[in-house]
Amino acid sequence: VHGDTFLESAMWKKLLGLLIVGISALVGLRFASDDGLPADIEVIASAPGLDALLEPYRTLLGADFEGYRNHNLRVLTFAMHFLGKAANAKARAIVEAALAFHDIALWTDKRLDYVVPSAVVAHKVLADKFSEAELLTIENAIVYHHKITEFSGEGADIVNAVRKADWIDASQGIVTKGMRLSNIRLVLDSIPNAGFHDTLSAIGPRLYGWNVLRIVSELAQIYYW
């Protein structure tokens, strides 16, 4: 099979998905074990503030829009649960702002080393809506949302909540980051995937075709130890 037919094939997507899971295992991330406890998470199935930030990008994202929005809702749900008592209205606004832009440069800049460009887009849009300290937290949450170990710096509580939440959803619950498995199942079942993980699998070949070296080299730049 050649060309676009292969790049869009289920086999290609499965191989990339397995690669992501394998990398997660190799870096020693914590994997799921079912403790048998009931779910105790509040599913956030709608977020007007998040939607307001995403809406200007609906046309640009096209068929990817619903999947990205739902990914953000799942990550928002996990992140607010991680924050616990610190999950106040201001924290939620900061988390929503970070999430709206955390992957956005995949589409605005059309590149796979997207975390820093995404933070640049966020700063331009949000500069008059948040304080300098809040903007720095948002930018840290965007740049370091693939960080493997704990983040320490401005807004560490929020940054780490977003970081752990994104790992859970990106791995479809294989990586738990300490989240109760029943909570993960509830969130994944409640908010449709809407093709988000198919987008993750296909976007590298969509942007660069068979240039595997460029795909790998750019993706390597979004991870921090």
Side-chain angles (χ1 to χ4, degrees), residues 12-222:
W12 173 256
K13 295 173 183 177
K14 287 179 181 177
L15 287 173
L16 282 180
L18 288 171
L19 178 62
I20 292 169
V21 170
I23 291 172
S24 298
L26 288 172
V27 297
L29 297 171
R30 181 176 176 182
F31 281 77
S33 59
D34 195 345
D35 55 17
L37 296 173
D40 64 350
I41 194 168
E42 179 183 352
V43 176
I44 302 173
S46 65
L50 175 66
D51 285 343
L53 293 170
L54 289 174
E55 188 59 33
Y57 300 94
R58 179 183 289 274
T59 300
L60 177 64
L61 269 65
D64 298 332
F65 182 83
E66 184 180 359
Y68 183 54
R69 175 183 180 271
N70 287 8
H71 166 62
N72 283 334
L73 288 171
R74 291 188 299 270
V75 177
L76 175 63
T77 297
F78 292 133
M80 298 310 289
H81 189 76
F82 277 127
L83 284 171
K85 293 181 180 179
N88 54 38
K90 176 55 71 174
R92 174 160 169 170
I94 291 171
V95 171
E96 289 183 358
L99 291 179
F101 295 97
H102 77 291
D103 294 339
I104 203 67
L106 284 169
W107 295 276
T108 59
D109 292 51
K110 299 187 184 304
R111 54 191 305 154
L112 297 178
D113 54 345
Y114 58 86
V115 290
V116 172
S118 292
V120 171
V121 175
H123 189 94
K124 290 178 180 177
V125 174
L126 303 172
D128 62 346
K129 298 177 176 65
F130 293 91
S131 70
E132 283 301 316
E134 290 165 349
L135 282 171
L136 182 54
T137 296
I138 291 167
E139 291 165 24
N140 284 338
I142 294 170
V143 172
Y144 296 108
H145 74 269
H146 288 303
K147 192 174 187 301
I148 295 165
T149 59
E150 291 288 308
F151 172 85
S152 59
E154 184 66 39
D157 288 348
I158 288 176
V159 174
N160 282 314
V162 169
R163 179 184 65 83
K164 293 187 292 185
D166 188 80
W167 272 107
I168 293 171
D169 195 64
S171 70
Q172 299 185 79
I174 292 175
V175 178
T176 71
K177 290 296 184 179
M179 177 69 67
R180 187 178 294 180
L181 191 56
S182 55
N183 286 339
I184 295 174
R185 287 172 175 161
L186 177 62
V187 175
L188 297 185
D189 289 345
S190 299
I191 303 175
N193 188 277
F196 177 70
H197 287 83
D198 287 341
T199 296
L200 292 185
S201 298
I203 200 161
R206 185 195 302 174
L207 293 176
Y208 301 137
W210 280 98
N211 193 338
V212 176
L213 180 61
R214 183 170 183 181
I215 290 173
V216 173
S217 64
E218 287 197 6
L219 283 175
Q221 297 179 58
I222 69 176

